[in-house]
Amino acid sequence: MREFGELEAAIMDALWRSDRPLAVREVRASMDYDRDVAYTTVMTVTNILYHKGLLEREKAGRAWLYWPRESREEHTARVMSEVFSGCGDPGTTMLRFVESFSDEDMARLCDVLSEVRAQRTRAL
């Protein structure tokens, strides 16, 4: 499953890497993309990402400034949650997913689960 096309992914990556909102010309200049892309193409795709609800924007003079609506991590977690909720058997899907983890990933997962359990206990 690919949520983004190559150009959309390059635009989102440029915005996620930035510590501030960017105008389209700045997005284009900071993108990691194999081909030269016209300013108008980047402007069109950025506008599409805005209308998909993935970006926020505000007018700054004649240009729009864009920034991601959610962090890369928040976005990835939301997409993963949608995948798990849309599969036939979430338990089996999680099992198959976790089976592919490295030892380091398994240790990280254990740490995260402990942290979430502690947060939930404090919330009670």
Side-chain angles (χ1 to χ4, degrees), residues 7 10-11 18 27 38 49 73-74 97 100-101 106-107 109 116 123:
L7 183 54
I11 290 169
S18 179
V27 171
L49 290 167
E73 295 78 12
E74 291 167 333
F97 180 61
S100 69
F101 283 14
M106 288 296 288
L109 177 61
V116 169

Side-chain angles (χ1 to χ4, degrees), residues 53-73:
L54 296 164
L55 299 177
E56 297 283 352
R57 73 180 182 188
E58 76 178 25
K59 198 77 159 158
R62 293 179 54 203
W64 287 103
L65 296 179
Y66 290 91
W67 65 94
R69 178 168 278 179
E70 52 193 1
S71 71
R72 181 189 310 264
E73 295 78 12

Side-chain angles (χ1 to χ4, degrees), residues 16-72:
W16 276 322
R17 282 193 314 268
S18 179
D19 59 353
R20 63 180 178 78
L22 299 177
V24 171
R25 66 178 165 70
E26 296 171 306
V27 171
R28 183 174 177 255
S30 64
M31 284 175 21
D32 289 328
Y33 199 62
D34 294 339
R35 302 183 300 274
D36 188 34
V37 182
Y39 170 87
T40 54
T41 302
V42 176
M43 182 177 61
T44 298
V45 174
T46 304
N47 190 49
I48 289 168
L49 290 167
Y50 167 76
H51 286 288
K52 285 182 176 182
L54 296 164
L55 299 177
E56 297 283 352
R57 73 180 182 188
E58 76 178 25
K59 198 77 159 158
R62 293 179 54 203
W64 287 103
L65 296 179
Y66 290 91
W67 65 94
R69 178 168 278 179
E70 52 193 1
S71 71
R72 181 189 310 264

Side-chain angles (χ1 to χ4, degrees), residues 7 28 31 40 59-60 63 83 85 90 92 102-103 109-110 118 124:
L7 183 54
R28 183 174 177 255
M31 284 175 21
T40 54
K59 198 77 159 158
V83 168
S85 68
T92 301
S102 67
D103 290 341
L109 177 61
C110 289
L124 297 176

Side-chain angles (χ1 to χ4, degrees), residues 87-118:
C87 65
D89 179 358
T92 301
T93 302
M94 282 185 214
L95 175 65
R96 298 295 176 244
F97 180 61
V98 172
E99 284 175 337
S100 69
F101 283 14
S102 67
D103 290 341
E104 295 80 20
D105 290 338
M106 288 296 288
R108 191 174 304 117
L109 177 61
C110 289
D111 292 344
V112 168
L113 290 172
S114 294
E115 184 178 331
V116 169
R117 282 188 191 106

